[in-house]
Amino acid sequence: MGHIYLDPSEAVDFIADTRDFVANTQKLEGCLFYSIALDDQATGRVLTVERWKDQDALTAHTQRPEMAEVMGKWMSRIKMDIQKYDASNERDLTN
């Protein structure tokens, strides 16, 4: 989970360029949740939230050619502040 920062003038283009990537990622085995959303257009802040079945699923995702394509296009224009967390004691919000 974390943020991606880019020039505000490119934020809408980034979201458009990643739309198919996100949709394809959501279909991957082991992907429990994956979203990239414009959080603050004025500052160029994009929220990314991922949830994976296990480390193997996450690793497979990061090694996909489609990931390399997206990163190749945008890496020099973005700054990422994304952290990986391990969760325990998962339960329904009402419990």
Side-chain angles (χ1 to χ4, degrees):
M1 178 176 191
H3 288 102
I4 297 169
Y5 300 90
L6 65 157
D7 187 301
S9 67
E10 294 187 305
V12 172
D13 289 339
F14 178 79
I15 295 299
D17 276 357
T18 59
R19 187 168 287 123
D20 288 342
F21 174 75
V22 169
N24 292 336
T25 299
Q26 291 169 337
K27 297 174 189 173
L28 293 176
E29 183 177 339
C31 179
L32 303 176
F33 183 84
Y34 194 89
S35 180
I36 296 175
L38 186 56
D39 192 31
D40 184 357
Q41 186 170 354
T43 63
R45 185 177 65 211
V46 174
L47 176 65
T48 180
V49 180
E50 307 176 27
R51 186 170 172 224
W52 296 93
K53 176 183 171 187
D54 53 29
Q55 182 61 50
D56 289 340
L58 173 58
T59 300
H61 160 64
T62 63
Q63 295 176 351
R64 293 170 44 222
E66 195 175 11
M67 172 69 90
E69 181 181 327
V70 169
M71 293 279 82
K73 180 174 182 178
W74 286 99
M75 195 60 174
S76 66
R77 297 185 279 172
I78 63 175
K79 177 184 171 213
M80 295 192 298
D81 180 18
I82 300 172
Q83 302 295 315
K84 181 169 60 170
Y85 301 91
D86 295 316
S88 61
N89 195 24
E90 182 177 342
R91 61 200 177 280
D92 185 70
L93 182 63
T94 59
N95 293 325

